[in-house]
Amino acid sequence: MTPNKSPDTSLIDLAVKMRKQAETRKVVLAWGLLNISVAGMIYTEMTGKLLSTYYNITCFPLWYIAVPVTPPREAGPKRVLSLPPSPPIQGQCVLSYSPSRSPSASPKFPAGCLSSYSPQLQPLPGASPSHSPPGTFSPSGSYTKVSSFSHSPNGSPYSMSVGPVDSAGIRSHYRFSPILYNNSTYKDDCITDVKSLDTFLRNEEEKQHRVQLGSSDSSSPSSSPTFWNYSRSMADHAQILRKFQYQLACRSQAPSAHKDEADLTSKQAAEEVWARVTMNRQLLDHMDSWTAKFRNWINDTILVPLVEEMESVSTQLRRMGCPELQIGEASISSLKQAALVKAPLIPTLNALVQYLDLTPNQEYLVERIRELSQGGCMSSFRWNGGGDFKGRKWDTDLPTDSSILMHVFCTYLDSRLPPHPKYPDGKTFTSQHFIQTPDKPDTSNENVFCIYQSSINPPHYELIYECHVYSLPKGRNNMFHTLLMFLYIIKTKESGMLGRVNLGLSGVNVLWIFGE
């Protein structure tokens, strides 16, 4: 005997069974809808392609809204005479709508042409027309293919064709909306025969011709020709020139004019200086790019790591109980003494002090280095000045930005060159390759290869190489261009070597700014 199930168990089983059945029905329904959707898409795609091929419907949405029409029957041989050549305009379907086209410039057909069927056009008396069954109009506002109608009267040398036009010509330029011409206000100006259509086309060709000559009849700004078209005579511009009044312009006396002349003179002077180094006259075309890359290199390689190291050293000094020895607050002499005493604990402090050994005003120097490191390309750089300090403008008692950048550049190369017995202070590069007034370089020694700062305020730098002095134009880029010439000579004449150090990819990696 089988045990009797309790009512609660039977109810639970029944509920579980009903839920499984509901889920099964949902799955079957979902798969059914998916299959029907895929089949519908395939059918619609195939039907659309067939319609587009058979009825020449080129617009994608028309596949789904075009109404079925009777396939055109094959007609006998047609006598079609071609129209005279018309201006070459990019053709578009005649039965497409363009909102930029004004209603008055488009052909208008009688209301009978826009019903659900198209009545056959009546030939002129005495003619032997040959035409195929007409097309239809879709109520949704779209056209299906309108079969061509060819008329060849004895006395007319023209033929008329209504429908898609593939050849370039005036007929393929006009678009119109079927809904637009259902209005009864256009019935008086409808095209009802071949003669009116031919007249309309001739008028439009004349208008188009006047538009191409710059006439004021242009109805659309997009079709108006520009003034600077070539191969046009002065008579073609008569309509445009009559609209404006011209007068002679005078040379501006603004400072910008003098600035442009100064820039041109400075560029010519720079070309003369660079011509003594290399025969390549196209170097100045890359000078702006080189300068931007060099500024980025100084910022990313020297300034940003220097600011991070100053923050790190200040934090370490605070942790060691020396809050009075903060970078930017303590004097340079106190920092030098701390570097000797705490060298085992803070080994980078001695190298950091070398970057700060430029001016007694440590607060301004550290703050200005922070400002220059911001922005990625030293956007706040001022070649003959600096930043504001404690609410007052920069003055000559403070170092210029050019002096700061030259100092940190030389100090960086000091750290990259190996120690030299002649220079126990560690300034190997600065001692050999940088001279500052009032000191004078020995221009008679061909082994001297250095950057010479001949003026402090405003700063000006010159390059000494093989007993020659290369003085680039004064101004905001003088320091950068002098350093670029220094590095360019190392790259081209010294094989990229500065002493025993490679300034290329395997060493300092600064010569990449010149490219290949």
Side-chain angles (χ1 to χ4, degrees):
M1 295 180 61
T2 58
N4 293 330
K5 296 182 179 180
S6 64
D8 296 339
T9 304
S10 302
L11 184 60
I12 292 174
D13 293 341
L14 181 59
V16 171
K17 183 177 180 180
M18 292 178 63
R19 178 172 297 179
K20 289 183 178 179
Q21 290 177 354
E23 292 178 354
T24 304
R25 285 195 298 269
K26 289 181 181 179
V27 172
V28 172
L29 180 60
W31 276 106
L33 290 176
L34 179 61
N35 292 334
I36 292 174
S37 301
V38 173
M41 292 172 60
I42 296 175
Y43 174 77
T44 305
E45 185 72 16
M46 294 177 62
T47 306
K49 289 183 177 180
L50 289 175
L51 287 176
S52 65
T53 304
Y54 197 71
Y55 295 106
N56 197 20
I57 300 178
T58 57
C59 185
F60 175 77
L62 297 185
W63 294 356
Y64 308 102
I65 61 178
V67 297
V69 297
T70 306
R73 296 189 297 271
E74 292 295 333
K78 301 178 183 179
R79 293 176 57 197
V80 180
L81 298 179
S82 61
L83 281 171
S86 55
I89 303 173
Q90 293 297 329
Q92 295 159 335
C93 182
V94 175
L95 300 182
S96 60
Y97 170 66
S98 173
S100 63
R101 186 74 187 161
S102 61
S104 61
S106 301
K108 305 172 182 59
F109 295 92
C113 297
L114 303 176
S115 58
S116 59
Y117 66 96
S118 297
Q120 298 181 358
L121 296 177
Q122 300 297 329
L124 293 177
S128 56
S130 173
H131 56 85
S132 57
T136 61
F137 165 68
S138 174
S140 62
S142 305
Y143 278 100
T144 58
K145 177 181 178 182
V146 180
S147 58
S148 61
F149 170 81
S150 300
H151 177 67
S152 55
N154 296 331
S156 176
Y158 303 100
S159 64
M160 189 273 289
S161 175
V162 180
V165 179
D166 295 330
S167 61
I170 193 65
R171 292 166 176 77
S172 60
H173 182 68
Y174 300 103
R175 304 175 178 180
F176 54 88
S177 170
I179 302 176
L180 182 63
Y181 303 108
N182 276 332
N183 197 326
S184 59
T185 58
Y186 298 100
K187 291 183 178 180
D188 298 334
D189 192 20
C190 291
I191 296 176
T192 56
D193 54 14
V194 178
K195 184 177 180 180
S196 58
L197 177 60
D198 184 64
T199 303
F200 170 78
L201 293 177
R202 283 178 176 274
N203 294 337
E204 292 300 320
E205 288 176 359
E206 292 177 359
K207 290 182 181 179
Q208 183 66 23
H209 182 64
R210 288 196 298 269
V211 167
Q212 292 178 353
L213 293 181
S215 173
S216 59
D217 291 339
S218 175
S219 59
S220 173
S222 61
S223 62
S224 301
T226 59
F227 182 80
W228 302 109
N229 285 343
Y230 294 99
S231 67
R232 292 173 60 178
S233 64
M234 184 57 68
D236 296 337
H237 301 290
Q239 295 292 338
I240 298 178
L241 295 175
R242 289 195 189 100
K243 300 178 183 179
F244 307 100
Q245 182 178 1
Y246 297 89
Q247 60 184 2
L248 293 176
C250 59
R251 180 179 293 275
S252 174
Q253 300 298 326
S256 60
H258 299 287
K259 181 178 180 298
D260 294 339
E261 294 176 0
D263 290 344
L264 179 60
T265 305
S266 134
K267 183 176 181 180
Q268 293 174 349
E271 288 180 354
E272 296 176 0
V273 177
W274 277 94
R276 297 163 55 192
V277 177
T278 177
M279 297 301 295
N280 189 355
R281 291 280 183 173
Q282 298 179 349
L283 284 178
L284 288 182
D285 297 337
H286 307 286
M287 194 60 60
D288 293 338
S289 174
W290 291 352
T291 303
K293 292 178 181 178
F294 187 47
R295 292 172 66 135
N296 284 331
W297 181 85
I298 293 177
N299 181 80
D300 297 340
T301 308
I302 303 177
L303 294 183
V304 173
L306 179 59
V307 171
E308 294 175 353
E309 188 61 30
M310 288 190 297
E311 298 293 340
S312 175
V313 170
S314 296
T315 302
Q316 295 181 54
L317 289 172
R318 284 196 301 270
R319 290 175 179 174
M320 294 173 60
C322 302
E324 71 281 359
L325 294 177
Q326 294 299 291
I327 303 299
E329 298 178 2
S331 64
I332 188 65
S333 57
S334 301
L335 292 176
K336 288 182 178 179
Q337 184 66 27
L340 295 176
V341 175
K342 302 181 182 299
L345 301 176
I346 310 177
T348 59
L349 181 57
N350 185 42
L352 181 61
V353 169
Q354 303 300 321
Y355 287 94
L356 303 178
D357 191 9
L358 175 64
T359 175
N361 196 332
Q362 290 292 294
E363 186 177 357
Y364 172 80
L365 178 62
V366 172
E367 183 62 28
R368 190 56 182 165
I369 291 177
R370 286 196 180 100
E371 292 174 358
L372 291 173
S373 67
Q374 297 173 359
C377 196
M378 298 182 291
S379 58
S380 60
F381 171 78
R382 295 179 58 193
W383 71 278
N384 59 350
D388 297 341
F389 178 60
K390 291 184 176 180
R392 68 181 180 93
K393 297 293 183 181
W394 179 90
D395 203 353
T396 53
D397 62 314
L398 302 174
T400 62
D401 290 348
S402 296
S403 299
I404 294 176
L405 292 184
M406 180 61 74
H407 174 72
V408 297
F409 176 78
C410 293
T411 305
Y412 176 77
L413 291 184
D414 286 338
S415 65
R416 300 305 301 268
L417 267 64
H420 197 283
K422 286 186 177 181
Y423 316 108
D425 57 355
K427 298 182 178 181
T428 306
F429 177 85
T430 303
S431 301
Q432 294 183 90
H433 302 287
F434 181 71
I435 299 177
Q436 188 176 21
T437 188
D439 297 335
K440 298 285 185 180
D442 184 8
T443 56
S444 61
N445 186 357
E446 62 179 8
N447 293 324
V448 173
F449 180 33
C450 69
I451 299 166
Y452 172 52
Q453 184 175 2
S454 58
S455 174
I456 303 297
N457 283 313
H460 182 72
Y461 300 88
E462 299 174 349
L463 182 65
I464 313 297
Y465 179 65
E466 292 183 348
C467 302
H468 292 88
V469 179
Y470 300 92
S471 181
L472 289 163
K474 299 179 181 180
R476 59 189 178 90
N477 285 323
N478 170 261
M479 182 196 68
F480 293 112
H481 289 179
T482 303
L483 288 174
L484 285 172
M485 181 176 284
F486 176 80
L487 297 174
Y488 184 80
I489 291 176
I490 293 176
K491 174 181 173 65
T492 57
K493 300 184 183 298
E494 303 295 334
S495 302
M497 301 295 294
L498 181 62
R500 291 181 294 168
V501 175
N502 188 351
L503 299 187
L505 186 61
S506 61
V508 179
N509 192 22
V510 65
L511 300 182
W512 64 269
I513 61 179
F514 299 107
E516 299 297 333

